[in-house]
Amino acid sequence: MNLLIIGAPGAGKGTMSEMILDKYHLIHVSTGDMLRAAVKNGTPVGLKAQEYMNRGELVPDEVIHDIIVERLSQDDIEAGFLFDGYPRTLNQAIDLDAILKELGKKIDGVINLNIEDAELIKRITGRRLCPGCGEIYNIYFMPPKVEGKCDKCDAELIQRKDDNLESLEVRLSEYHKNTQPVIEYYEKTGVVRHIDAKQAIEKVFADIDAVLEGLCK
Ligand code: AMP
């Protein structure tokens, strides 16, 4: 099963991806994670992407094309994959179709996490991450037991560079301008399922799970 998860920043793509992977054992392909790793390691891709990411803007499609082709050339992908944060532009979606066609693959389902912009501000500006184990917290809704420390591994929590109000506004406008057409593109093939992402985490996952159970049949 090959899936996409789409949603505005803060809609819960990361959390839902983890829960989907846990149950369905797919390969997680997050362009955001791949780009952050490239920036951290100072690779040529990282150097090209860094400035765009800090400003909250989308990284150029050519850069994304290269990292996707490279990732899809690895064997583990045969298990089925979950694309998270990709495709983010109509060009990327059209490009992905061509890449998958070459590989004899297709997208079986698109999970669209729906949520209003107003909800996302606290989610994003309050988000804190554990660099050690990847656990995600929110200082407003899901604070760690000890301020600034991970409950699981005691590491010092960090905030993503682009999780501030200024970048968020750019990211949301990029999302509406560029990613909304991606949803419309996939609507034409009948694979999109809309999920209410404002609900409690367990309920959001239950709704996604029901969709995926249906796809597996
Ligand atoms: P994310 O972790 O998915 O929120 O992505 C963080 C940032 O990485 C975005 O704000 C963009 O700057 C960049 N990025 C991630 N995925 C893509 C993509 N598919 N196309 C363009 N830029 C991306």
Side-chain angles (χ1 to χ4, degrees):
M1 181 162 62
N2 300 322
L3 304 173
L4 310 183
I5 186 161
I6 297 186
K13 295 190 300 289
T15 306
M16 285 306 130
S17 294
E18 257 179 47
M19 295 171 89
I20 294 170
L21 300 176
D22 247 15
K23 175 156 181 193
Y24 292 92
H25 309 293
L26 302 171
I27 301 299
H28 189 209
V29 181
S30 156
T31 42
D33 286 350
M34 287 155 79
L35 291 168
R36 275 184 290 279
V39 169
K40 197 171 161 198
N41 296 327
T43 67
V45 164
L47 294 176
K48 277 187 214 156
Q50 193 162 25
E51 293 300 314
Y52 295 96
M53 293 175 77
N54 286 346
R55 288 195 298 264
E57 292 168 15
L58 292 182
V59 171
D61 288 341
E62 314 83 72
V63 178
I64 301 295
H65 169 88
D66 291 347
I67 62 173
I68 289 294
V69 168
E70 206 279 316
R71 186 63 189 86
L72 289 181
S73 69
Q74 295 169 27
D75 292 343
D76 61 349
I77 223 73
E78 293 305 323
F81 51 78
L82 172 67
F83 278 131
D84 166 1
Y86 170 85
R88 278 257 230 303
T89 65
L90 191 54
N91 263 341
Q92 290 179 15
I94 294 168
D95 186 43
L96 176 62
D97 270 354
I99 298 169
L100 290 178
K101 201 169 171 199
E102 283 263 307
L103 297 170
K105 297 188 186 304
K106 64 177 177 51
I107 297 298
D108 302 302
V110 174
I111 305 292
N112 178 34
L113 299 178
N114 271 322
I115 189 157
E116 304 112 58
D117 289 0
E119 274 291 309
L120 302 171
I121 295 176
K122 271 193 165 177
R123 285 193 180 191
I124 286 289
T125 57
R127 179 157 70 179
R128 299 292 181 275
L129 311 170
C130 173
C133 68
E135 192 69 5
I136 304 170
Y137 298 87
N138 185 292
I139 58 169
Y140 304 112
F141 312 122
M142 232 204 302
K145 291 194 186 93
V146 178
E147 197 185 320
K149 294 257 183 205
C150 179
D151 293 348
K152 287 194 176 162
C153 68
D154 209 36
E156 200 79 31
L157 299 181
I158 55 166
Q159 189 171 18
R160 259 171 60 169
K161 259 204 177 138
D162 56 352
D163 276 354
N164 58 68
L165 202 51
E166 204 188 351
S167 285
L168 175 62
E169 278 165 2
V170 180
R171 285 155 73 200
L172 281 175
S173 101
E174 291 270 29
Y175 178 77
H176 291 301
K177 188 173 79 194
N178 295 303
T179 311
Q180 215 61 45
V182 173
I183 298 167
E184 284 154 26
Y185 177 77
Y186 285 111
E187 289 273 20
K188 290 185 198 136
T189 52
V191 289
V192 182
R193 295 294 175 271
H194 299 280
I195 302 288
D196 175 6
K198 200 179 160 186
Q199 308 174 93
I201 289 178
E202 295 70 25
K203 180 71 176 78
V204 178
F205 181 66
D207 288 358
I208 294 175
D209 198 23
V211 167
L212 300 186
E213 295 258 358
L215 280 180
C216 285
K217 275 181 195 152

